[in-house]
Amino acid sequence: MELNEFLAKEEFKKKYILDTSVIIKWYYSDNEDNLDYARLFYNQVRKNQVILISLDIIAYELLNFFIYKFNLPEDKISTVLTEVYSIVFVISINKYILEEAYKIAKILKNSIYDSSFVSLSFKLNYPLFTADKKLYSSAKSCGYNVFYITEYKEFF
């Protein structure tokens, strides 16, 4: 199903963009803070109360995290990816998102990866939630619709 068709069908549900820093907290808790907020997103999407949207680069970032920081067993990777793709509307990055991400990255002096999530939020006009303090601070100070994970309860 195309994004516009999906969003029109689900017009009454709240929609949020998540970056990988939030989704990681669903599967990894060692030395992580704000797990209850990440779990709130997870529980609400599992109950079909909200729509969570992200970019396909979450798969690369999740797998890198699991390889270099968590060492998730190989037999669990398929389970995690299947779940993420079933509860998050994953959008393929495209030329328009990348062009805007490039502009944003130059403004924020941040990576193209992080700026891609800000670009998606900008293009769709849905708030982006992150657990990345650097991304939050730089994007918020430049007026982007970005919120730190702990601000989620203010949206109820």
Side-chain angles (χ1 to χ4, degrees), residues 97-107 112 115-116 119:
I97 293 169
L98 286 170
E99 287 173 347
E100 190 66 33
Y102 180 79
K103 295 174 195 172
I104 292 169
K106 289 178 75 174
I107 292 166
I112 197 71
S115 298
S116 295
S119 172

Side-chain angles (χ1 to χ4, degrees), residues 13-144:
K13 288 184 187 167
K14 292 185 177 181
K15 298 157 190 76
Y16 306 108
I17 311 291
L18 295 186
D19 74 356
T20 314
S21 68
V22 176
I23 296 171
I24 283 172
K25 293 175 183 295
W26 296 349
Y27 304 102
Y28 180 79
S29 59
D30 293 353
N31 300 317
E32 291 288 319
D33 54 0
N34 301 313
L35 293 170
D36 51 337
Y37 294 98
R39 186 58 52 189
L40 186 57
F41 277 110
Y42 179 84
N43 290 336
Q44 286 190 327
V45 74
R46 296 292 294 169
K47 293 177 185 173
N48 206 24
Q49 296 172 330
V50 298
I51 295 172
L52 301 180
I53 304 166
S54 197
L55 288 169
D56 57 359
I57 61 175
I58 62 167
Y60 301 102
E61 291 185 327
L62 279 170
L63 291 174
N64 273 335
F65 179 84
F66 293 143
I67 289 169
Y68 295 109
K69 294 189 180 174
F70 181 41
N71 197 19
L72 187 70
E74 286 183 32
D75 61 329
K76 302 288 186 210
I77 293 296
S78 179
T79 304
V80 167
L81 291 174
T82 299
E83 181 175 54
V84 168
Y85 275 82
S86 71
I87 64 176
V88 176
F89 195 94
V90 178
I91 296 175
S92 295
I93 202 161
N94 61 45
K95 172 185 179 295
Y96 305 105
I97 293 169
L98 286 170
E99 287 173 347
E100 190 66 33
Y102 180 79
K103 295 174 195 172
I104 292 169
K106 289 178 75 174
I107 292 166
L108 302 182
K109 297 178 178 40
N110 212 336
S111 76
I112 197 71
Y113 304 106
D114 289 344
S115 298
S116 295
F117 292 102
V118 179
S119 172
L120 181 64
S121 171
F122 179 76
K123 292 284 189 188
L124 295 180
N125 198 28
Y126 297 136
L128 166 64
F129 282 87
T130 184
D132 179 334
K133 289 179 182 173
K134 180 183 173 204
L135 173 61
Y136 165 74
S137 296
S138 62
K140 194 67 162 182
S141 69
C142 290
Y144 289 101

